[in-house]
Amino acid sequence: MQKPGKTAKRLIAGAAVAAAALSLAPMGAAMAGQSTGAKAGQSKAAAAPAQHSDDVSAKIVGGEPAKKGDFPWMVRLSMGCGGALFEKDIVLTAAHCVDGSGADDSITATGGVVDLDDSDAVEVKSKEILQAPGYDGKGKDWALIKLAKPIDQKTLPIAEDDANNKGDFTIAGWGADKEGGEQQQKMLTATVPFVDDDTCKSAYSELIPGEELCAGLIDEGGVDSCQGDSGGPMFRKDEAGKPVQVGIVSWGEGCARKGKPGVYTEVSNFAADIKKGAADLG
């Protein structure tokens, strides 16, 4: 249940679930609840106990359509979350998108396309899940999903230090394009600027600096991740011009609200744990 005065994770808003299930085949059964922590269909994927503020969701608001091939590492997960290919057979997503660790073949990962109805879409079942050790709904919002077979697309390297944790970032996903809206059949993408910890802390007293970083147009709003983008990557180019993942869509209050930036898992802080987890999954 959602705790009073806290913000739920950026999952599917209940009103959008039915419509999304009808229009997006990979989503299949019921999605995870926005503020209840309900499980996603028969999958183990679920929202962790809601914890950070009052009305949180995750989608791309204020974005534009992505072009096929722009972000080949993007993956859509059947419980209503996003993710990125850390390895061809391992997806990096958010801890609040899954329900613990262990064998699990109930999640379908869709990759290789921007349009979920594209005949080129590749669908692969999950094999095993690793939720961040010690995850309790506060910080540590990362998880790995081992796939039954590889998706033959480029992977997205993760940041191993904080050198790229400032500047402008790219977000992408199939989440809603407005607060309370429906998830999208076609991937959207947008650019969001870094928001420093002190400024973000004034918006969210529960922010955990070092484990979470913020991004968004805090003065005017209008651009953000939202319902259904949870677990998806926030990335930018490094000094060599190569894309690197610096964040994972985690939570926020509403979508694209003025003064309420998006909150993302600070990937570099967990890089060693993520790499070890992937190695343990084989």
Side-chain angles (χ1 to χ4, degrees):
M1 297 296 290
Q2 184 172 349
K3 297 179 182 179
K6 293 292 184 178
T7 302
K9 293 290 185 177
R10 294 202 163 192
L11 287 163
I12 302 303
V17 175
L22 289 173
S23 62
L24 303 181
M27 295 182 195
M31 307 293 184
Q34 177 184 354
S35 61
T36 62
K39 292 191 176 181
Q42 69 265 50
S43 144
K44 274 190 176 182
Q51 86 246 354
H52 283 311
S53 181
D54 229 355
D55 172 23
V56 180
S57 348
K59 65 165 188 200
I60 303 302
V61 179
E64 59 185 27
K67 297 178 181 178
K68 190 170 183 177
D70 281 353
F71 312 120
W73 49 78
M74 291 293 297
V75 171
R76 182 65 178 166
L77 300 172
S78 56
M79 84 290 283
C81 284
L85 290 173
F86 177 73
E87 295 181 4
K88 290 182 183 293
D89 62 348
I90 296 179
V91 176
L92 176 60
T93 188
H96 75 266
C97 288
V98 302
D99 186 15
S101 301
D104 189 319
D105 63 0
S106 66
I107 299 170
T108 299
T110 301
V113 295
V114 297
D115 185 337
L116 296 175
D117 277 350
D118 193 317
S119 60
D120 290 334
V122 176
E123 296 185 355
V124 179
K125 285 289 188 178
S126 59
K127 180 178 179 180
E128 186 175 355
I129 293 172
L130 174 65
Q131 188 180 59
Y135 175 72
D136 63 359
K138 297 180 180 179
K140 299 182 179 64
D141 196 9
W142 65 270
L144 296 170
I145 299 176
K146 175 77 171 180
L147 302 179
K149 63 181 181 179
I151 294 178
D152 190 18
Q153 295 289 336
K154 290 182 180 179
T155 58
L156 180 60
I158 61 172
E160 297 189 35
D161 58 47
D162 63 3
N164 293 295
N165 284 2
K166 294 183 179 181
D168 289 338
F169 308 116
T170 298
I171 50 176
W174 291 269
D177 61 354
K178 62 183 177 181
E179 187 171 329
E182 297 179 3
Q183 291 199 26
Q184 304 296 296
Q185 175 183 313
K186 298 179 180 179
M187 187 194 306
L188 297 177
T189 181
T191 300
V192 288
F194 169 74
V195 175
D196 67 83
D197 288 344
D198 288 343
T199 301
C200 195
K201 192 81 172 176
S202 67
Y204 303 119
S205 61
E206 58 270 59
L207 181 76
I208 306 174
E211 293 193 12
E212 299 171 326
L213 58 86
C214 301
L217 299 173
I218 194 163
D219 291 332
E220 60 264 38
V223 181
D224 197 5
S225 54
C226 192
Q227 300 138 0
D229 286 326
S230 276
M234 181 171 73
F235 49 97
R236 56 162 294 174
K237 291 183 178 179
D238 61 16
E239 290 185 353
K242 297 181 179 180
V244 59
Q245 182 172 355
V246 299
I248 299 170
V249 178
S250 186
W251 62 278
E253 185 172 328
C255 301
R257 295 182 184 180
K258 181 178 179 180
K260 298 294 182 180
V263 182
Y264 300 79
T265 304
E266 190 168 327
V267 169
S268 60
N269 186 66
F270 301 105
D273 293 332
I274 291 170
K275 292 173 69 175
K276 180 181 184 303
D280 290 345
L281 286 174

